[in-house]
Amino acid sequence: GRVLERMDTDTSCGGEYRDKNIIQRFPIFARQLTAFKAVAVCAGGAGKVRLISIFDGKTEYQLGKPMEGLGSNGFFVYAYPSQAVQAEVPLESALRSAKRVILRCLVSGSGWRQGPTLAFPFLTPIAVLDNLAI
């Protein structure tokens, strides 16, 4: 989607927005927050399972391994497992049709919220919610 552009013409009412159909993006900060992320499940060597980014098909998530996101978006996560399950996946995603699981993660840093989507620059996967395989 498009990024919301704010027009600061009337600050007493919070300003105006160019498109009322766009969901607003709000800055947020967390020292440590539990969040949920859908990832693809791929076969690894020696019968191991790899947890890979659905979007880029390259980023690998390992339980307990802290990660730092690149770019301005960081990692997309959700406050509830059900939101992660229902999250829309972009058409251009590398592993769009792969089997998925939900990770419980700890996220932190300066990020943003847009609708149910949260984005944070730091993420540590801490558990796989295997009962939510999708």
Side-chain angles (χ1 to χ4, degrees):
R2 298 174 293 167
V3 176
L4 181 68
E5 290 186 63
R6 183 169 177 203
M7 297 170 22
D8 290 315
T9 57
D10 182 4
T11 55
S12 66
C13 295
E16 294 182 69
Y17 292 92
R18 293 182 189 265
D19 187 337
K20 299 290 184 188
N21 295 320
I22 297 176
I23 299 172
Q24 297 178 31
R25 183 178 283 190
F26 297 98
I28 55 176
F29 176 82
R31 288 180 195 262
Q32 187 176 66
L33 176 72
T34 299
F36 301 89
K37 179 168 188 63
V39 296
V41 178
C42 300
K48 293 191 177 193
V49 171
R50 296 175 63 213
L51 305 171
I52 306 293
S53 166
I54 295 167
F55 181 72
D56 71 15
K58 298 175 186 175
T59 303
E60 184 168 0
Y61 298 86
Q62 297 176 8
L63 296 182
K65 181 181 178 185
M67 303 173 71
E68 184 172 351
L70 302 175
S72 61
N73 285 323
F75 299 98
F76 290 1
V77 295
Y78 297 87
Y80 302 100
S82 59
Q83 292 173 324
V85 168
Q86 297 169 0
E88 290 184 30
V89 178
L91 292 174
E92 68 272 15
S93 297
L95 298 175
R96 183 176 170 81
S97 61
K99 181 181 175 187
R100 304 174 199 170
V101 294
I102 303 300
L103 295 179
R104 178 181 292 127
C105 305
L106 296 177
V107 294
S108 61
S110 294
W112 53 261
R113 177 181 65 83
Q114 187 171 15
T117 305
L118 308 172
F120 286 97
F122 303 102
L123 177 143
T124 302
I126 57 173
V128 175
L129 303 184
D130 56 6
N131 60 332
L132 289 177
I134 53 176

